[in-house]
Amino acid sequence: MTAGRGRWIWPAACVAGALPVLLAAGRDWFTVTYGTRQVALSAAELVPALGPAAWAALAAAVAVLATGGLWRALVGAVLALCGAGVIAASWSGSGTDAALRLAAERAPTAAGTVPQVVAVPAWPIVAGAGGALLLVAGLVALLKGDLWPGMSGRYDRPGAGPATGRPAPASSARGVPSERALWDALDEGTDPTAGPDPRES
């Protein structure tokens, strides 16, 4: 795989990792029943950092493409940390202890009633898988991101200088004077647009 192709496959992998996390973050992971009352617990209540971590990972993915060198490696490390945080949050949110505690806070009148807990284990697994993909993507950017070209290089004009992006002050191959040559002629008091004087031939 070439460096250019890897640079475009990589953000697709980041999106593929963040979307499942965002999807799972908006779903109910548990339903706790107290007699006839049901308390649905969403991921936003169990692990409120799950969604922000996914959005931060997407922002870091864009920043990786827009930066280079040491900054790209640092942003890749941040992306890897976001993925690791998603995995940890998915694991902690899948436990029934947190679900029972939150359900008891939302239904204090049901104290003394034996609760029945119904879990949806698919969503923590989906979120954890997305976090694992983000973790791998961050490590790839950290270790191999310096091989990818930057975004700004594709917008530079041919022959542009490395610092200002302006063409070098020289005439083109077709003999058309450059902008610098035109200004030099004006400074000398001559008309740069006038052709050669036929009386001089």
Side-chain angles (χ1 to χ4, degrees), residues 18-44:
L19 287 182
V21 178
L22 292 174
L23 179 64
R27 296 297 185 272
D28 294 337
W29 287 16
F30 288 93
T31 299
V32 181
T33 303
Y34 295 97
T36 59
R37 181 175 180 180
Q38 290 185 343
V39 179
L41 300 173
S42 65

Side-chain angles (χ1 to χ4, degrees), residues 91-109:
W91 175 262
S92 64
S94 63
T96 58
D97 293 340
L100 289 173
R101 183 176 65 255
L102 288 175
E105 293 175 358
R106 290 180 53 182
T109 59

Side-chain angles (χ1 to χ4, degrees), residues 135-197:
L135 174 60
V136 173
L139 293 177
V140 170
L142 175 62
L143 299 176
K144 297 185 177 297
D146 57 341
L147 302 177
W148 301 337
M151 290 179 64
S152 60
R154 54 181 306 196
Y155 300 105
D156 293 339
R157 291 181 296 176
T164 63
R166 297 178 180 176
S171 299
S172 64
R174 297 182 179 180
V176 179
S178 65
E179 182 180 353
R180 174 68 178 276
L182 295 176
W183 283 110
D184 290 342
L186 289 175
D187 291 339
E188 295 172 359
T190 60
D191 185 0
T193 62
D197 191 348

Side-chain angles (χ1 to χ4, degrees), residues 37-61:
R37 181 175 180 180
Q38 290 185 343
V39 179
L41 300 173
S42 65
E45 297 174 286
L46 294 168
V47 279
L50 198 62
W55 286 114
L58 287 176

